[in-house]
Amino acid sequence: PLQPPRTGRELLTDHVTAMVCCAAMDSAGASPGLDWLDGPALLFDGVRRGDLAGPVLSLVEDGDDGPLRGWLAEVGVRPEKPVRLV
């Protein structure tokens, strides 16, 4: 069966997550990974970080950027550094 169309919030959540992953790879030494069950994963020193969804949802659904800013600081992403799209 066909999947229902994705909502604007679902698309925004995916795009914010993608930008955070790009920034983490660009400035904090993260690397992309693939989990056989969950799909794409973000790795720091070879360890999967599965705690990004909550802070992103807090930003998208509640407009609260505090959890995401805390997550970025915890993993070493510098928010003032632009993301390179190569």
Side-chain angles (χ1 to χ4, degrees), residues 25-60:
M25 290 188 303
D26 214 27
S27 68
S31 59
L34 186 62
D35 183 278
W36 70 274
L37 186 59
D38 295 330
L42 189 60
L43 307 173
F44 287 87
D45 297 324
V47 178
R48 181 174 183 245
R49 292 291 302 244
D51 58 347
L52 177 58
V56 170
L57 285 175
S58 178
L59 174 67
V60 172

Side-chain angles (χ1 to χ4, degrees), residues 20 23-24 28 52 67-79:
V20 168
L52 177 58
L68 184 56
R69 285 185 180 274
W71 189 92
L72 293 169
E74 179 183 332
V75 298
V77 174
R78 296 185 349 232

